[in-house]
Amino acid sequence: MLLTRLAAVMAEAGDGQARLDRIVTLIATSMNTEVCSIYLRRGERVLELCATEGLKREAVHRARLQVGQGLVGLIARRADPINTAEAQSEPGFQYLPETGEEIYHAFMGVPIQRLGEVLGVLVVQNRDSRSYTDDELHGLEVVAMVLAEMTELGAFLGDDAEMAGSHVRPFFARGVSAQEGAAGGVVHLHAPRVSVANPVAEDVGVERLRLSEAMAALRGEVDDMVSADLVGHAGEHRDVLEAYRMFAHDKGWMRRMTASVESGLAAEVAVEREQTAVRAKLSRVADPYLRERLHDLDDLANRLLRHLAGEGPGAEIPTDAVLVARAIGPGELLDYGKRLKGVVLEDGSIGSHAAIVARALAIPLVVQAGRITAEARNGDPILVDGDLGQVHLRPEETVSTAFLEKLDMRAQAQEVYEALRDRPATTRDGETLSLQMNAGLLTDLPSLEGSGADGVGLYRTELQFLIRATVPMRDQQAALYDRVMTSAKGRRVVFRTLDIGSDKVLAYMKRQDEPNPALGWRAIRISLDRPNILKMQTQSLLRGAGGRPLALMFPMIAQATEFFDAKAMVEEQLERHVRVGRPAPERLEIGAMLETPSLAFAPDAFFQAADFISIGGNDLKQFFFAADRENERVRRRYDALNASYLTFIRMIVQRCEEHGTPLCYCGEDAGRPLEALALAAMGVRSLSMRPASIGPVKRLLRESDLVSARATIKSGIARGEVNLREALMDWARAEAIADLV
């Protein structure tokens, strides 16, 4: 009866405040309580009394509590109800004098929440000491779910700015740049929230049937997906998928949602109510396995909601879509592909699998954008600044205008880069550099010609392992390497052997519990301890080369013996390859990635044996400065233009020059014009970067004099400057090329 009356109130005319006032009166009357109050969230930390029946009316919009303050604040912080006969004896009790609530003893409050996001608190109170029944608590929670839906729909909006809903105002998120670039478009939620026009069931029988049909469709979809994926597979992967199917067929899940529908909720709200309850429970579970199951349940609930909305699998996405998600795997991001204008993640890191794929697809990516999934709605206008790590949701006109000007400037610059595409990266003093591109997907290779890159300085072979549910077989790997080399059209491609471990964990590989995985069992260490991995990949590379020149390098070499051991394994496989009648590569180059400071001090024999060396700048820099690049507290504490780091790079260059060992610098710094210039001034003559960076770097190099830049660096070091960034910027301004940096 109460839900039916609530539906009638929602249908009545009036502003948001009038609707709130009628709702609290209705709840107090229906539940026979002397007080009913609604507190709504204002920003991150404040709860405001927005309507009350029983407390002093003049306290509305004046009485405020911090999240965690008083019983109301505790409910908001914990997302759990409080039911007590003596509120004043409860730990944390704090009353607001302006409300006059000190005369009330019995207290029951529940969070107004949707999918784990607390939007406010609903409270009832009585003068007499009494314990509210479980049925009353359940009823109040159901009403709170309806209020949450109404809040999301803007049912309480009014002319007063204080009553403005959170999903119509502009929202700004400052995150972390994981892929440069800028894009504007509309939000496409990876796990969209389905809007519910009426959260109250008009016809319980109809809602029950809708839920049943949607569940049947979901179970059929999951059965088909699992059955297709299980063909020929077994082991741990099969167990995980079967557990996923078991969740979909769980009778308790369906029974609880059906009970919510029968209590008067629309089918979508019933699904979200169960999803919210499960999230609240599992988010507090310490067991990592059980916490991981939360993702399965979330995914199933979201799929069920899409079936209720009539979307089903494979729904269309807008042409100017910007993907917004809490987190996303590399395979899921690849499914979207280059249809996306940008990606914004609430979690994630610059070294995540999704970030690697986003870079490969040249899609602007911002990670750690707080509250973006709670604020965003499908179709909302959104601007993504991947350079600054900023996101503007529902931006004001002035922000949009400034952003469009930035995009226009980018487009003009791109025309200049196009004109330089076929010209060499030759500096004013006659030094020519080789600018190469990083890649990891077959879809990257068209950028090889379009960007003007001389070749592929780093091909990350692990991506095809990361995006698959099972290890790719030898023939599958060989076929991919063949297509990569064919697409390169004779340009040199350097394949990095499998670089897994640390943050790159394969779905079918048991995760190692290590206190510091970045310094643990990873990359070449895994390949040497599990030699069959390197042997199989070497066999695949040799087959894929098909007699063409082949260049491969080993990641994370820390000492010369690791390189010698790995090189011996490759040479052994080459002999075996030729022995069975297959063509040997026209030329085989075996190199190493210098990512640890220790390798720079390796014996001369290492530099003589290596056909080439590639500096893995991202890892080398974090090890050099002892600062984890995944830790936002320290990531900004190091800089490639630090005097010590540039001096170290110069030392590496000199050791390679002594032995005639070709040297390349791979990493983010190679693609930043000022950093690239400094590296070139230190003697690096080959740089490998993402395709989009080649144009800006080439443009600056062609306008620069390396002798002059090197002199600026040397004089800065002689003066004892810790960082050369400002000195180089002053030099660039004097050279009239500062606008190219």
Side-chain angles (χ1 to χ4, degrees), residues 4 52 87 179 200 258 274 281 286 321 337 359 423 496 520 529 535 555 613 624 641 648-649 681 689 734:
T4 301
T52 187
Q179 164 65 13
V200 179
T258 302
E274 180 63 18
K281 292 175 183 176
R359 290 186 199 117
R423 297 184 182 182
R496 181 177 69 187
D529 289 350
K535 288 178 180 179
I613 291 174
F624 183 82
L641 299 185
F648 184 57
I649 294 299
M689 64 202 75

Side-chain angles (χ1 to χ4, degrees), residues 178-179 328 333 345 349-360 365 367:
Q179 164 65 13
I328 189 170
L333 186 52
L345 301 180
S349 68
I350 61 171
S352 67
H353 306 159
I356 292 170
V357 172
R359 290 186 199 117
L365 170 64
V367 299

